[in-house]
Amino acid sequence: MPQLSQDSQECLQKPFSRPSTWTQFLPLFRAQRYNADIHQTTENEGDPRAVTDIKPMGSERMEMRKRQVPAAPDAPGAAPGQPGVGSRGSNACCFCWCCCCSCSCLTVRNQEDQRPTIASHELRADLPTWEESPAPTLEEVNAWAQSFDKLMVTPAGRNAFREFLRTEFSEENMLFWMACEELKKEANKNIIEEKARIIYEDYISILSPKEVSLDSRVREVINRNMVEPSQHIFDDAQLQIYTLMHRDSYPRFMNSTVYKDLLQSLSEKPIEA
């Protein structure tokens, strides 16, 4: 391999041994650029557009962004104590679905949901469960043995018969018949609908423990009429229960100790007097 001469080697080493030309003039270039920036900034102190020529970097840019974001203004015409549009107060109607929300709108909704329940309890209390009546006389008790109609026409007879039905675990038949009689006295449409619903839930529904015995035809008619119930919606069911009590329970009542003890106690009163 041929070797370079000494003169050639010196020529190759000269560019690397001394500083390059651009390295010598680099400090001078930086100084001139710095002076030019200062001069331009001094001239544009009164011009707001000059600020856009300066490009902040890092934390300075983030700080400027924070300053440029305006605060959310309050709603026009809002009272000092009321929250603005961008904020939610404790009394504002929010779209929060959590169970811990204490908004006034949810309080109103809860009160509205409780109103039908309170009305139902009040109407349910209006349905008769026991009738106040004077003590029956001996003539009235003897008349009960003549026909079932004479027994059911007097409050004292219905109370005595209901006491007997309780011993046979069929008291719901008398309660249902009495509730139907109470429904026929109503004229207010809203009260009729509510009482009809209560009677249906208590005595017609298959889920009720006090369900009365009705055939499928009568149940279908009631289910269709429950869309717009009237005070006579349970007439067929009431007649069926009346017939059931007449044929099934009434004969046993006449032979029960309830009736015999009552008849005996009334028969012995004139002798004691």
Side-chain angles (χ1 to χ4, degrees), residues 141-208:
V141 176
N142 287 327
W144 296 349
Q146 298 175 9
S147 67
F148 183 64
D149 295 338
K150 292 183 177 180
L151 170 68
M152 294 291 290
V153 78
T154 61
R158 291 191 294 267
N159 288 337
F161 186 57
R162 178 186 168 187
E163 184 180 352
F164 166 75
L165 293 177
R166 188 183 295 114
T167 62
E168 292 194 339
F169 304 99
S170 58
E171 182 185 10
E172 64 275 2
N173 292 333
M174 177 60 71
L175 294 176
F176 171 69
W177 186 89
M178 294 169 60
C180 293
E181 288 294 309
E182 191 70 21
L183 179 63
K184 293 177 183 179
K185 301 176 184 178
E186 294 294 342
N188 188 299
K189 183 179 179 180
N190 295 330
I191 297 179
I192 290 174
E193 292 179 355
E194 188 64 22
K195 283 191 174 182
R197 184 187 63 81
I198 294 174
I199 295 174
Y200 184 91
E201 293 177 354
D202 288 349
Y203 305 107
I204 308 299
S205 174
I206 59 176
L207 302 177
S208 174

Side-chain angles (χ1 to χ4, degrees), residues 22 24-35:
W22 70 271
Q24 296 177 0
F25 291 98
L26 182 58
L28 180 61
F29 176 76
R30 289 178 176 176
Q32 292 177 354
R33 181 62 182 272
Y34 178 76
N35 294 333

Side-chain angles (χ1 to χ4, degrees), residues 11 14 23 25-26 46 51-52 60 75 82 112 117 122 126 160 178 183 185 204 216 232 242 254 258 271 273:
C11 292
K14 285 181 181 180
T23 306
F25 291 98
L26 182 58
V51 180
T52 58
E60 295 180 357
Q82 295 179 352
E112 292 178 353
T117 305
E122 292 177 354
D126 292 340
M178 294 169 60
L183 179 63
K185 301 176 184 178
I204 308 299
S216 59
H232 300 286
Y242 187 90
M254 299 308 301
V258 175
I271 299 175

Side-chain angles (χ1 to χ4, degrees), residues 15-176:
F16 298 98
S17 59
R18 60 184 179 180
S20 300
T21 305
W22 70 271
T23 306
Q24 296 177 0
F25 291 98
L26 182 58
L28 180 61
F29 176 76
R30 289 178 176 176
Q32 292 177 354
R33 181 62 182 272
Y34 178 76
N35 294 333
D37 291 342
I38 294 177
H39 180 68
Q40 187 176 1
T41 304
T42 305
E43 292 178 352
N44 298 331
E45 283 182 355
D47 189 0
R49 292 176 299 177
V51 180
T52 58
D53 296 335
I54 303 175
K55 298 180 180 181
M57 299 296 291
S59 60
E60 295 180 357
R61 180 176 295 181
M62 294 299 296
E63 186 67 22
M64 290 185 64
R65 287 182 180 178
K66 293 180 181 178
R67 294 179 181 178
Q68 291 175 359
V69 175
D74 293 338
Q82 295 179 352
V85 178
S87 61
R88 295 184 184 271
S90 59
N91 295 329
C93 182
C94 67
F95 294 96
C96 175
W97 294 99
C98 61
C99 60
C100 60
C101 184
S102 58
C103 298
S104 59
C105 61
L106 296 184
T107 304
V108 174
R109 290 177 184 174
N110 292 335
Q111 293 176 355
E112 292 178 353
D113 294 340
Q114 293 175 0
R115 286 174 186 173
T117 305
I118 296 174
S120 300
H121 286 303
E122 292 177 354
L123 292 177
R124 195 182 299 272
D126 292 340
L127 296 177
T129 56
W130 187 264
E131 297 177 278
E132 295 183 2
S133 63
T137 62
L138 181 61
E139 291 76 11
E140 289 178 348
V141 176
N142 287 327
W144 296 349
Q146 298 175 9
S147 67
F148 183 64
D149 295 338
K150 292 183 177 180
L151 170 68
M152 294 291 290
V153 78
T154 61
R158 291 191 294 267
N159 288 337
F161 186 57
R162 178 186 168 187
E163 184 180 352
F164 166 75
L165 293 177
R166 188 183 295 114
T167 62
E168 292 194 339
F169 304 99
S170 58
E171 182 185 10
E172 64 275 2
N173 292 333
M174 177 60 71
L175 294 176
F176 171 69

Side-chain angles (χ1 to χ4, degrees), residues 246-259:
H246 182 197
R247 295 178 179 179
D248 185 57
S249 302
Y250 174 68
R252 293 197 298 271
F253 169 73
M254 299 308 301
N255 296 322
S256 66
T257 56
V258 175
Y259 177 74

